[in-house]
Amino acid sequence: MASISVAFTILSVLLSSVSLATSDPAFDNFLQCLHNHINPSDAISEAIFTPASSSFESVLQAYIKNGRFLTPTTPKPLAIIAAGHESHVQATIICAKFHGLQIRIRSGGHDCEGLSYRSNTPAVLLDMFNLRSIDIDIQNETAWVQAGATLGELYYSIANKSKVHAFPAGVCPTIGVGGHVSQGGYGNMLRKYGLSIDNVIDAQIMNANGTILDRETMGEDLFWAIRGGGGASFGVILSWKIKLVSVPEIVTVIHVDRFLEQGATDIVYQWQQVAHNLDNDLFIRAMPQVVNGSRPNEKTVKVSFIGFFLGQMDRLLQLVNESFPLLGLKQNECKELSWIESTIFWADFPNGTSIDVLLNRPSKPVTAFYKTKSDYVKNVIPKEGLESIWKMMLLRDWNMRMEWNPYGGKMNEISETETAFPHRSGYLFKIQYSTSWADEADIDNQINWLRDVCAGMETYVTKNPREVFMNYRDLDIGSNPSNQTDFKNAEVYGHKFFKNNFQRLTKVKAAVDPDNFFKHEQSIPPYSV
Ligand SMILES: Cc1cc2nc3c(=O)[nH]c(=O)nc-3n(C[C@H](O)[C@H](O)[C@H](O)COP(=O)(O)OP(=O)(O)OC[C@H]3O[C@@H](n4cnc5c(N)ncnc54)[C@H](O)[C@@H]3O)c2cc1C
Ligand SMILES: *[C@@H]1O[C@H](CO)[C@@H](O)[C@H](O)[C@H]1NC(C)=O
Ligand SMILES: *[C@@H]1O[C@H](CO)[C@@H](O)[C@H](O)[C@H]1NC(C)=O
Ligand SMILES: *[C@@H]1O[C@H](CO)[C@@H](O)[C@H](O)[C@H]1NC(C)=O
Ligand SMILES: *[C@@H]1O[C@H](CO)[C@@H](O)[C@H](O)[C@H]1NC(C)=O
Ligand SMILES: *[C@@H]1O[C@H](CO)[C@@H](O)[C@H](O)[C@H]1NC(C)=O
Ligand SMILES: *[C@@H]1O[C@H](CO)[C@@H](O)[C@H](O)[C@H]1NC(C)=O
Ligand SMILES: *[C@@H]1O[C@H](CO)[C@@H](O)[C@H](O)[C@H]1NC(C)=O
């Protein structure tokens, strides 16, 4: 018996080293290091996917959200470590550092430029999707949420425990908590409760030494930096402790479409003046997009107003009638729902979709391509300006749209330096430009159209710096090769994302990761100022 089991052990060691062997010695040593580092009961083998593994492609593709980064020329990681345990995260950090490999960290994979999984420098992908527990404490109105949980799972779990609690974050349920929260996180409760980071009270992060830190042990500088500065420059976020917020049992959503022919320009002009000043319970997004007109081959602009109100329809109709009369809001353009049902509406699922959809994980590779850019607006755009914007949009593509997201309310009450996220008071709204398409051959045209429209907006948006929302990551604003140590563009993208908070972020970086282990094309450099 004993000799059989010894023989079996030797055989399996041989087999596993055969299947692990590659042509890259640093990488082989890295894999060996993972095995040496981990207690066998932590089952690291099941977490490792190399290109030789049959499921490597499907694991890689599962959390790629943008067809632009699912092409044959997109560089692939050396391996994927789908951590099932904190010790796997630790071994990945320590072994990658020791053997001179970079890592990429992925939670939900929604990074607009795919930086959580693609790298021009050979890198190991640390995938967090298995670390997704959610622990809700309704009595204390808090929750611990692991990085790999999605917003949909978080929303579902909260609603499962209470009808009058919620969390302010984005509207797309498949977004990962790990990336989203560390880069700000905004949604339709922004005017009432601020960003996700404004409702984070503690966090667990693993640093470059593989040590787990919480708010107390990381200190207030690092805790400040990971609220808006992005986690991926500082360490691996393991989990967030969040503060739940109160919502009424019934909320109301709005969907209104107005075309240019119906006076959309005047309505948008009034929206700019009032949307940031409305009752904090009310958030109305304006969404201009190019659509087919009433005659063949004619295009027009439709502006959709998508609203969320923390209250019932009667009061909403009265508020809108008083403050935003040009919208002409009618009862049949509103719908009363529970908060959790409103998340389904905001995610664009058809009326009547079960809330179970919030728990869906990706089942097939993405087919759409997209590109996103962003801007902030502080001054009302005159009517002639609006007309020239519609003209610019009409000259180009059918799939282009903008989302104008109102500011004000709680955002005006939080100082620019409270967290690393600097775009706080004095803004009327934030613009997201996006285009999506289905044919790979259209990549250049689509992206150029989007860039042209964005360039044409220069006179209406913030200047010096022209500010950009980090969660709408955009490599057009500058990047550095992730394998270099001169950060010639960091000042540029750094000020666009963080304004004057950039300098403090570089100091925190120099203190917690002086060797710059945690880096990517738009990470924060460890300047020693
Ligand atoms: C369809 C769609 C809708 C969106 N809607 C909204 C919205 O309503 N509101 C909004 O604010 N944003 C929105 N976004 C942007 C989104 O919030 C960001 O892309 C966000 O960073 C995604 O988080 P993720 O974990 O899914 O992304 P990932 O691609 O996994 O990560 C994004 C970045 O964070 C880093 N990161 C990820 N996990 C960790 C971790 N555990 N520790 C350290 N670093 C980590 C990555 O390395 C990368 O740099 C949307 C994006 C898409 C594609
Ligand atoms: C909840 O709050 C109470 C009172 O503030 C505190 O004693 C208790 O430890 C908290 N529970 C948790 C799980 O934090
Ligand atoms: C909570 O979730 C469980 C498991 O999905 C489900 O069976 C139960 O009905 C849910 N309860 C509520 C109140 O939503
Ligand atoms: C818009 O019109 C074009 C032809 O002009 C047509 O091919 C397309 O399907 C139409 N799109 C929609 C959404 O109706
Ligand atoms: C809006 O308010 C005016 C009075 O200010 C009133 O006459 C009108 O009926 C109201 N309209 C709606 C739709 O409530
Ligand atoms: C949504 O569905 C409900 C029934 O589930 C129906 O009563 C309602 O009219 C529908 N609303 C819209 C806007 O389609
Ligand atoms: C660094 O990256 C660039 C591309 O970003 C590549 O051309 C170069 O060879 C890399 N250098 C090293 C040392 O890996
Ligand atoms: C990491 O370990 C090194 C060597 O022990 C030590 O000098 C450094 O301060 C540690 N860094 C952190 C962030 O703990």
Side-chain angles (χ1 to χ4, degrees):
M1 262 323 263
S3 65
I4 292 174
S5 106
V6 168
F8 179 77
T9 307
I10 292 172
L11 180 65
S12 57
V13 167
L14 278 175
L15 279 176
S16 69
S17 52
V18 168
S19 66
L20 290 179
T22 71
S23 56
D24 177 348
F27 178 56
D28 287 341
N29 292 337
F30 165 77
L31 291 178
Q32 197 53 58
C33 173
L34 288 182
H35 286 273
N36 296 345
H37 205 82
I38 292 283
N39 183 328
S41 66
D42 282 350
I44 185 106
S45 304
E46 291 159 31
I48 303 175
F49 299 86
T50 68
S53 328
S54 57
S55 42
F56 179 79
E57 284 295 329
S58 61
V59 174
L60 177 61
Q61 290 177 9
Y63 294 90
I64 292 182
K65 289 287 156 193
N66 191 340
R68 278 166 63 209
F69 312 121
L70 193 53
T71 65
T73 55
T74 307
K76 293 193 163 79
L78 293 167
I80 303 166
I81 315 300
H85 192 277
E86 282 161 357
S87 67
H88 299 167
V89 178
Q90 185 184 50
T92 305
I93 292 174
I94 289 174
C95 295
K97 196 164 81 164
F98 192 78
H99 293 290
L101 296 175
Q102 286 192 24
I103 65 166
R104 293 283 151 144
I105 313 161
R106 180 165 75 173
S107 287
H110 284 58
D111 191 278
C112 297
E113 297 281 11
L115 296 192
S116 53
Y117 50 84
R118 74 181 176 112
S119 163
N120 289 325
T121 310
V124 169
L125 168 51
L126 174 59
D127 222 337
M128 302 292 283
F129 65 86
N130 280 323
L131 294 174
R132 58 164 102 161
S133 74
I134 298 172
D135 194 357
I136 310 246
D137 178 351
I138 283 294
Q139 244 99 54
N140 286 2
E141 304 186 295
T142 58
W144 274 105
V145 189
Q146 280 190 307
T150 63
L151 294 182
E153 289 164 353
L154 174 60
Y155 296 164
Y156 185 95
S157 305
I158 297 171
N160 194 262
K161 292 266 168 68
S162 163
K163 292 181 171 143
V164 292
H165 287 88
F167 185 66
V171 302
C172 170
T174 52
I175 289 175
V177 162
H180 181 73
V181 174
S182 68
Q183 299 181 163
Y186 88 97
N188 55 23
M189 287 189 280
L190 160 118
R191 306 191 60 256
K192 175 80 171 187
Y193 293 117
L195 303 166
S196 303
I197 48 172
D198 301 325
N199 299 280
V200 164
I201 51 184
D202 203 340
Q204 284 197 310
I205 182 171
M206 194 176 283
N207 70 10
N209 284 1
T211 308
I212 297 178
L213 306 171
D214 65 7
R215 180 172 185 170
E216 199 183 332
T217 51
M218 81 178 81
E220 287 302 303
D221 272 340
L222 181 53
F223 187 61
W224 173 86
I226 57 173
R227 284 174 298 152
S233 292
F234 300 99
V236 178
I237 307 284
L238 299 172
S239 54
W240 301 105
K241 185 178 187 181
I242 59 173
K243 185 157 61 71
L244 304 180
V245 301
S246 305
V247 292
E249 266 187 54
I250 294 176
V251 303
T252 308
V253 295
I254 310 176
H255 184 145
V256 176
D257 289 332
R258 298 286 185 261
F259 293 80
L260 289 190
E261 301 73 20
Q262 296 170 308
T265 305
D266 288 341
I267 304 172
V268 172
Y269 185 63
Q270 183 169 68
W271 175 90
Q272 293 184 84
Q273 286 153 320
V274 302
H276 64 104
N277 262 331
L278 293 169
D279 190 296
N280 289 0
D281 287 339
L282 180 55
F283 176 93
I284 304 179
R285 162 186 289 176
M287 228 170 77
Q289 65 193 116
V290 177
V291 294
N292 283 346
S294 48
R295 278 183 292 255
N297 299 319
E298 181 197 61
K299 293 187 277 179
T300 186
V301 171
K302 175 176 90 173
V303 184
S304 300
F305 296 88
I306 315 289
F308 175 79
F309 180 58
L310 285 155
Q312 298 186 8
M313 194 184 324
D314 292 353
R315 200 175 133 234
L316 170 64
L317 286 167
Q318 202 181 332
L319 270 175
V320 173
N321 187 15
E322 278 161 17
S323 317
F324 186 14
L326 283 184
L327 186 63
L329 181 65
K330 297 191 231 20
Q331 206 161 337
N332 66 3
E333 293 165 322
C334 307
K335 191 170 180 175
E336 289 181 338
L337 301 162
S338 63
W339 168 72
I340 196 68
E341 288 164 344
S342 80
T343 67
I344 304 282
F345 167 89
W346 271 81
D348 269 344
F349 288 108
N351 185 15
T353 304
S354 155
I355 61 167
D356 291 350
V357 76
L358 295 172
L359 303 178
N360 285 357
R361 288 272 169 167
S363 56
K364 50 181 186 293
V366 67
T367 51
F369 299 78
Y370 74 87
K371 168 82 183 167
T372 290
K373 297 176 81 68
S374 64
D375 261 317
Y376 286 87
V377 177
K378 287 186 157 175
N379 301 303
V380 171
I381 303 173
K383 280 189 197 174
E384 312 80 71
L386 294 175
E387 276 153 9
S388 75
I389 295 169
W390 312 149
K391 240 179 242 156
M392 271 195 313
M393 291 175 74
L394 284 166
L395 265 177
R396 292 168 182 90
D397 167 68
W398 298 80
N399 300 315
M400 184 179 304
R401 69 179 199 191
M402 296 195 206
E403 284 178 5
W404 294 11
N405 291 290
Y407 253 55
K410 181 80 179 173
M411 293 300 274
N412 282 344
E413 294 163 21
I414 300 174
S415 96
E416 226 168 270
T417 55
E418 175 84 20
T419 64
F421 178 96
H423 324 281
R424 291 292 190 173
S425 82
Y427 299 84
L428 303 183
F429 55 99
K430 171 177 66 193
I431 300 181
Q432 177 188 10
Y433 309 87
S434 59
T435 174
S436 67
W437 64 98
D439 184 353
E440 189 177 341
D442 288 345
I443 291 185
D444 289 344
N445 274 342
Q446 291 281 346
I447 292 181
N448 288 336
W449 280 325
L450 191 73
R451 286 180 181 144
D452 284 354
V453 168
C454 189
M457 295 293 288
E458 190 180 358
T459 38
Y460 309 120
V461 303
T462 53
K463 300 173 184 46
N464 304 316
R466 185 166 174 179
E467 298 166 38
V468 173
F469 178 36
M470 191 187 191
N471 257 340
Y472 294 148
R473 188 194 298 293
D474 176 8
L475 290 178
D476 295 353
I477 65 170
S479 66
N480 295 300
S482 62
N483 61 0
Q484 288 184 12
T485 48
D486 77 346
F487 290 94
K488 73 179 166 44
N489 292 317
E491 295 276 346
V492 179
Y493 64 75
H495 283 102
K496 286 173 176 291
F497 286 152
F498 311 116
K499 298 171 73 180
N500 292 331
N501 289 336
F502 178 62
Q503 197 185 11
R504 181 170 173 197
L505 282 167
T506 62
K507 286 184 185 164
V508 177
K509 171 73 176 180
V512 306
D513 184 23
D515 300 331
N516 200 25
F517 173 68
F518 291 106
K519 59 175 175 268
H520 56 74
E521 288 78 354
Q522 286 187 333
S523 59
I524 293 156
Y527 293 151
S528 38
V529 188

